[in-house]
Amino acid sequence: MTEFLGSVWWMIVSLGLLVTIHEFGHYWVARRCGIKVLRFSVGFGKPLWSRRDRHGTEFAIAAIPLGGYVKMLDEREVEVHPHERGQAFNHKTVWQRIAVVAAGPFANLLLCMLLLWAMFVIGKQDYSATVGRATGMAQAAGLQGGERILSVDGRSVATVGEASMALTAAAMDRHDVTLQVVDAQERQHQRVLPLSQLPAGFDERRVAPLAGVNWQFWLQPALVDRLVDDSAVRGVLQPGDLIVAVDGERIDAADQVYPAVQALGKRGGPGMIDVLRGGERLALEVTPRQGLDGNQQPVWQLGIGFSESHAPAYDTVLKYGAFAAVPVAIRETGRMAADSLGMMRRIVTGSASLQNVSGPVTIARVANVSAQRGLDWFLQFLALLSLSLCIINLLPIPVLDGGHLLYYLIELVKGSPLSERAMAAGQFVGLALLAGLMGLAFYNDILGLVTR
């Protein structure tokens, strides 16, 4: 219940802020162009609060907080007094109308840059693109645990998110990638990951693990939490010891200890366990004892337990000064826009699954998770959502800002506005497209809840 309420709350906060900025863009440019604005509403439906300024504009907060609008004086919608016709939207030049319509998405683009700038000034905590363990395809390509990915096909990556996005895009395009990596000794290597060999219909949300790339922060460290009384390692190991090898076999995570101990027991006799204790590496002799597991099957045991919960600490911080953060935020906005447009292109061409289309349920869940992670993560979420609103509104679909811009561009070319009949037909098509897109988004949201 707490998660549900938190998700609803943060979605309302997020959409309320972004929609307000979007509509303010329309409002501000409309006023600069001499257009009379009748109402600036955040939300739809019956106003819960309203106030009218000296220019006659009503500012309102409505009951349904999922959107907003700016209503301007327009002869096509209301009767306009002759002395106010010069302030009507439909009496303005086509370039002024273009400026007013484009101002909403442009405001969201500027907000995205501002939010990213604030995030970088505060400092974005994240996980580095460090491989914890390589299996399958990644292991065959020579990738090893402890190596950090610096670039994917020449594209620099600093975090797991950036590396995962680059790998996912390449997998969708069915082509291999060249990874520039650095090992623990700061030596650089190139690895070629054959993502084109992934099976048809692979889960696009799990490209990294399917390719055998298991990120370091996923893995629970083999940190001894407790010792069983009269166990094989009582007096040898201590709580707090980090197991790094079992009889010469490297250990990167807790789930590798069990099979290594089974192999040691089958060989018979004592073996060596390497641990890190107080910054010192120790080689300790142990002899596993045979016992029974939960299914009453014989197994070799050391008698140790690991912590069941693992909350890995962030290992990298992207932080810049106020001036240095400006170009970084602009570049990050460009990268995010390229990734978003690339995903849309892949969905349209069929190289990406329609499951990548998400709706309000997913937005609410991600908003809640981001807010819980901290201000830096929430700012990044808001920036991405603001950029998404910008891009979606610029799509050439009637009823969206992009559809109106398309009408005005046609008007520029032909020298006269489109007929009302043509625009009405376009509105019908646009509503049908939006209804289908929203239906798909809701379907994916519900499917995601069922399969969680």
Side-chain angles (χ1 to χ4, degrees):
M1 188 63 179
T2 302
E3 180 182 357
F4 171 77
L5 293 176
S7 298
V8 172
W9 165 251
W10 288 113
M11 182 180 70
I12 291 174
V13 170
S14 302
L15 291 181
L17 171 63
L18 301 184
V19 168
T20 300
I21 296 298
H22 179 94
E23 298 303 333
F24 181 79
H26 291 312
Y27 167 81
W28 190 84
V29 175
R31 290 295 305 273
R32 303 287 83 71
C33 292
I35 299 170
K36 184 174 181 178
V37 179
L38 302 179
R39 173 180 283 183
F40 184 122
S41 178
V42 177
F44 297 105
K46 183 178 180 180
L48 301 176
W49 173 90
S50 65
R51 184 181 68 83
R52 195 175 298 274
D53 70 0
R54 60 187 179 87
H55 300 290
T57 301
E58 179 189 8
F59 294 86
I61 298 177
I64 305 175
L66 300 178
Y69 62 92
V70 170
K71 184 177 181 180
M72 303 173 216
L73 188 66
D74 195 316
E75 285 185 315
R76 296 167 297 181
E77 298 178 2
V78 297
E79 185 176 348
V80 178
H81 195 277
H83 79 272
E84 289 187 320
R85 284 178 181 166
Q87 301 179 65
F89 179 81
N90 63 299
H91 274 270
K92 296 301 178 179
T93 68
V94 65
W95 286 111
Q96 287 176 313
R97 282 177 277 147
I98 286 176
V100 171
V101 172
F106 186 68
N108 281 129
L109 179 63
L110 290 180
L111 178 61
C112 173
M113 295 181 187
L114 179 61
L115 291 168
L116 290 175
W117 173 84
M119 179 193 76
F120 285 125
V121 170
I122 293 172
K124 173 61 166 44
Q125 300 183 91
D126 212 327
Y127 300 106
S128 64
T130 302
V131 179
R133 183 165 67 240
T135 59
M137 182 186 298
Q139 186 178 36
L143 206 60
Q144 299 178 19
E147 292 184 338
R148 179 165 50 89
I149 299 176
L150 302 177
S151 68
V152 179
D153 273 348
R155 170 178 165 174
S156 297
V157 296
T159 65
V160 162
E162 294 175 1
S164 297
M165 185 64 203
L167 293 176
T168 300
M172 289 177 177
D173 294 337
R174 311 298 295 177
H175 75 76
D176 304 338
V177 294
T178 299
L179 307 178
Q180 189 75 25
V181 303
V182 60
D183 60 25
Q185 287 73 43
E186 297 300 319
R187 296 172 301 195
Q188 293 197 16
H189 311 274
Q190 278 194 349
R191 316 289 190 202
V192 178
L193 198 59
L195 296 178
S196 60
Q197 297 179 14
L198 287 174
F202 66 88
D203 188 343
E204 296 167 359
R205 296 164 297 183
R206 301 185 64 251
V207 169
L210 288 175
V213 179
N214 298 278
W215 302 116
Q216 187 176 67
F217 83 96
W218 286 350
L219 305 180
Q220 179 184 1
L223 189 66
V224 178
D225 180 64
R226 58 195 178 278
L227 301 174
V228 176
D229 291 338
D230 299 324
S231 67
V233 293
R234 172 67 69 174
V236 180
L237 298 185
Q238 298 178 7
D241 285 346
L242 178 65
I243 299 176
V244 294
V246 174
D247 215 26
E249 181 180 343
R250 175 173 168 167
I251 300 296
D252 296 308
D255 61 354
Q256 294 175 293
V257 174
Y258 176 81
V261 170
Q262 301 313 301
L264 174 59
K266 290 176 182 178
R267 286 195 292 270
M272 303 300 294
I273 286 190
D274 289 20
V275 301
L276 292 180
R277 179 186 299 169
E280 183 181 1
R281 181 164 179 149
L282 304 175
L284 307 172
E285 184 178 287
V286 297
T287 302
R289 295 176 184 171
Q290 197 167 45
L292 299 177
D293 63 11
N295 297 318
Q296 300 303 304
Q297 297 298 315
V299 293
W300 294 98
Q301 300 173 335
L302 291 180
I304 59 176
F306 301 110
S307 176
E308 295 180 359
S309 61
H310 173 49
Y314 297 118
D315 61 358
T316 188
V317 178
L318 305 177
K319 185 177 176 65
Y320 301 88
F323 292 105
V326 173
V328 177
I330 294 174
R331 286 196 300 270
E332 180 66 7
T333 301
R335 184 192 66 80
M336 290 168 55
D339 287 341
S340 298
L341 291 171
M343 181 61 72
M344 293 175 65
R345 173 184 60 79
R346 294 181 182 93
I347 291 174
V348 171
T349 59
S351 59
S353 170
L354 292 175
Q355 291 182 348
N356 290 289
V357 179
S358 301
V361 176
T362 299
I363 292 174
R365 286 168 52 192
V366 176
N368 187 40
V369 171
S370 301
Q372 290 178 349
R373 285 186 173 183
L375 179 59
D376 51 344
W377 282 81
F378 190 58
L379 289 174
Q380 184 183 48
F381 163 75
L382 287 177
L384 179 58
L385 187 58
S386 186
L387 181 62
S388 299
L389 287 177
C390 168
I391 293 173
I392 291 173
N393 271 285
L394 287 176
L395 293 177
I397 299 176
V399 312
L400 295 178
D401 292 333
H404 293 295
L405 291 174
L406 179 61
Y407 289 158
Y408 300 146
L409 291 176
I410 293 174
E411 181 179 341
L412 281 173
V413 172
K414 68 190 290 283
S416 61
L418 282 174
S419 66
E420 290 188 9
R421 182 176 179 181
M423 286 192 287
Q427 296 288 94
F428 178 80
V429 172
L431 287 172
L433 287 173
L434 279 183
L437 191 62
M438 291 176 63
L440 175 62
F442 273 111
Y443 172 79
N444 287 339
D445 279 351
I446 294 172
L447 188 65
L449 289 175
V450 173
T451 58
R452 284 181 67 183

